[in-house]
Amino acid sequence: MSTGRKYHIEEHLSEDKLNELLKEYKQYYIVYRRLLFINMLYKDYSIKEASEVLGINRATGGRWLNSYNDKGFEGLFSNYSNCGRKSELTEEEMEKLNQHILDSEDNLTLKMIRKWINDEFNVLYSEKQVWVIVRQKLGFNYGKPFIKYSKKPKDAEKQLKKTQKT
C-alpha cells in the first residue's frame, strides 16, 4: 500500500504507542515553550517579539508572563483543575448510585440507571453521560451475559482444539 510519502521512516513505535507518548510528554513541551518565552524576555525581547518567534498570540504571552510573575516557575504549568462542567450529582448522591448498582439483583441497563437517577435525584442525564458516570467515574464494567451449560464436559476446550486442528 502506498502512503504517498516521498521519504522513508522506520516505524520503531506503533501508532498507539506514539499517541500515548505524545500525551505523556505534552506537558513538558508546553512548559518548555513557556520557559523559552521567559528566557527571551530576560534577553530583552519585547512580549510582541517573543510571541511572534514562538508563534503565539501576544495576549497569550502576556498571560504567561503574568502567571510567571505571580507564581514563579510553578506558574508555567497548566492548571486544568477547574475546567469542565460541575456534576449535578453530589458525592453523597454518587455514592448512593454506586450502592444501588452494587445492591441491585437485576442486570441494570443504562436506561434503567438513567431512569433511577431521574426518579431518585430529579436529574435528567443523557445516556452518554450515564455511561460516563457508570464506566469512568464509578469504574463499573459490563459484559454480555451468556448461558453456562451444566452438561458441558470437563475437557471441552481440549476437545474443541482437537476438532479445530483437523
Side-chain angles (χ1 to χ4, degrees):
M1 180 173 102
S2 175
T3 60
R5 292 185 192 144
K6 295 182 179 182
Y7 54 87
H8 174 73
I9 183 169
E10 294 292 333
E11 295 187 12
H12 295 288
L13 300 170
S14 69
E15 193 171 335
D16 290 339
K17 181 65 176 173
L18 188 60
N19 287 331
E20 182 182 312
L21 288 170
L22 283 170
K23 287 178 186 174
E24 182 179 339
Y25 287 99
K26 181 179 180 182
Q27 183 67 32
Y28 300 114
Y29 171 72
I30 291 170
V31 173
Y32 179 75
R33 285 185 67 203
R34 293 174 185 183
L35 283 170
L36 282 175
F37 178 78
I38 297 300
N39 188 34
M40 292 170 81
L41 295 182
Y42 278 5
K43 294 181 179 180
D44 294 328
Y45 280 76
S46 69
I47 294 175
K48 182 181 178 185
E49 291 169 338
S51 298
E52 286 176 1
V53 169
L54 291 175
I56 60 171
N57 189 300
R58 192 237 172 266
T60 301
R63 198 171 56 249
W64 290 358
L65 175 61
N66 291 338
S67 183
Y68 178 75
N69 287 339
D70 291 344
K71 300 175 188 166
F73 176 66
E74 294 300 318
L76 298 179
F77 289 87
S78 299
N79 181 10
Y80 296 116
S81 64
N82 199 19
C83 294
R85 187 173 178 182
K86 302 296 179 230
S87 177
E88 293 187 41
L89 294 180
T90 64
E91 290 294 322
E92 294 80 28
E93 291 171 335
M94 204 65 88
E95 183 56 39
K96 188 173 181 181
L97 171 61
N98 188 30
Q99 204 56 48
H100 172 72
I101 295 171
L102 289 172
D103 294 343
S104 178
E105 296 290 323
D106 300 328
N107 291 327
L108 297 175
T109 64
L110 292 178
K111 288 181 182 181
M112 294 165 68
I113 294 172
R114 181 178 184 233
K115 182 176 178 343
W116 187 84
I117 291 172
N118 190 18
D119 294 345
E120 189 72 24
F121 307 118
N122 199 27
V123 175
L124 186 60
Y125 281 122
S126 67
E127 285 188 35
K128 180 186 181 296
Q129 188 59 37
V130 172
W131 183 90
V132 168
I133 290 169
V134 171
R135 292 294 308 272
Q136 293 178 350
K137 292 185 179 178
L138 298 179
F140 283 98
N141 202 345
Y142 63 89
K144 197 169 190 174
F146 59 93
I147 300 170
K148 289 188 176 182
Y149 296 104
S150 59
K151 296 179 182 178
K152 178 177 105 172
K154 291 185 180 187
D155 64 338
E157 290 179 16
K158 203 182 256 187
Q159 290 179 16
L160 179 63
K161 286 180 183 177
K162 286 181 183 176
T163 59
Q164 288 176 341
K165 289 181 183 177
T166 59

